Amino acid sequence: MNDTEVNKTIQQMVRFIKQEAEEKASEIMVAAEEEFNITKLQLLEAEKAKVRREYERREGATEVKKKVEFSKQLNESRLKLLQAQNDAVRAIQKDAQKRLGALSNDQSAYGSLLQGLLVEAVFKLDEPKVKVRCRESDSTLIRTVIPQAALFFEQQYGKTAPAVELDEQHSLPPAAAQGGFAEEFDTCAGGLVVTSADGRIVCSNTLDDRLAIAYGGNLPSIREMLFGTASSSN
């Protein structure tokens, strides 16, 4: 084989090797590009999933915040409604309290009322001797009422009335200022308190206590009249 043939053979081998290398490089490039695209797609999907999760988390947090805020506003509205209802009911009690304070202005009618309250309390105590407490301003009227109440007691129950004594050592608080209403228990609208002789048994028949009993007993009905059946259970 001469030099020309050798060179020709070598050139053919070089072209073959070069072609093989180019084909192999092309395959590697295609495979690398495919792998790159797959990896890029995976990273993109992972990032999308991360963004979706973050969005869902924030959306969920926002929804929870909205629900909490709505619940808070709803509770505040309910509390305001309950407060308004309580204020309305309380206003009725205050008005009744003011009217009670005016009962003693009519001495005749007030005397009859004291007599009834005294007879009732004496009967409840069922003691041989009792003491009566009243406001200082009512002491003169009470002294007049005591014998009348004793007579009525004997006629009503057919037995001797117990001995009734005015307790001048323990007067009830005075009436509230004209047109006023006392929140504390330092005033008395009228009525009386009857105790056993030793003071251990007490029957309060003050107008304030009678109002409190009537108010408590009729509170559901008052609420129903003011606010309807649905509010009477509040």
Side-chain angles (χ1 to χ4, degrees):
M1 179 179 295
N2 54 35
D3 293 340
T4 302
E5 290 176 343
V6 170
N7 289 334
K8 186 177 180 180
T9 301
I10 291 173
Q11 289 176 358
Q12 288 177 346
M13 291 177 64
V14 170
R15 284 196 299 270
F16 177 77
I17 293 172
K18 184 178 181 180
Q19 183 178 357
E20 284 289 324
E22 289 176 350
E23 290 177 356
K24 191 65 177 178
S26 179
E27 290 177 1
I28 292 173
M29 289 294 294
V30 170
E33 187 174 358
E34 289 180 354
E35 185 176 355
F36 170 76
N37 289 333
I38 292 173
T39 303
K40 182 176 71 173
L41 183 61
Q42 290 175 341
L43 291 174
L44 181 62
E45 290 300 322
E47 193 63 26
K48 286 182 178 179
K50 181 180 179 181
V51 171
R52 281 196 298 270
R53 288 194 298 272
E54 180 64 16
Y55 173 79
E56 291 171 356
R57 185 189 69 79
R58 293 188 180 185
E59 186 180 34
T62 301
E63 190 65 26
V64 169
K65 185 178 180 180
K66 287 181 179 179
K67 290 180 179 179
V68 170
E69 185 64 25
F70 175 77
S71 178
K72 179 182 177 182
Q73 292 179 358
L74 182 61
N75 287 335
E76 289 177 352
S77 298
R78 287 175 176 171
L79 289 175
K80 288 180 180 178
L81 176 61
L82 288 175
Q83 185 61 50
Q85 291 178 347
N86 289 337
D87 289 345
V89 173
R90 185 66 171 155
I92 292 178
Q93 185 186 23
K94 288 182 178 181
D95 182 64
Q97 186 78 25
K98 291 178 182 178
R99 295 188 183 190
L100 283 181
L103 289 179
S104 58
N105 294 337
D106 185 342
Q107 290 290 289
S108 177
Y110 185 54
S112 298
L113 175 61
L114 289 177
Q115 176 180 311
L117 294 174
L118 178 55
V119 170
E120 180 184 81
V122 167
F123 179 75
K124 285 183 178 179
L125 284 185
D126 194 24
E127 291 285 312
K129 183 177 181 180
V130 297
K131 291 184 177 182
V132 182
R133 299 174 184 174
C134 66
R135 302 181 303 185
E136 288 186 8
S137 58
D138 293 337
S139 59
T140 301
L141 184 58
I142 283 290
R143 287 190 177 91
T144 304
V145 166
I146 288 176
Q148 297 173 352
L151 179 61
F152 183 85
F153 180 93
E154 293 174 354
Q155 294 174 345
Q156 181 73 18
Y157 300 109
K159 59 181 180 180
T160 302
V164 181
E165 176 187 347
L166 178 61
D167 188 350
E168 300 183 49
Q169 302 299 318
H170 303 90
S171 297
L172 299 182
Q178 184 66 29
F181 176 78
E183 295 287 350
E184 301 82 11
F185 297 99
D186 58 353
T187 63
C188 179
L192 45 82
V193 173
V194 179
T195 71
S196 57
D198 57 12
R200 293 183 179 179
I201 306 175
V202 179
C203 177
S204 177
N205 249 355
T206 63
L207 300 185
D208 307 82
D209 286 343
R210 295 300 290 262
L211 173 62
I213 293 172
Y215 174 78
N218 291 281
L219 186 56
S221 299
I222 294 173
R223 286 187 173 276
E224 184 173 349
M225 286 188 294
L226 290 176
F227 315 117
T229 305
S231 298
S232 63
S233 60
N234 291 338

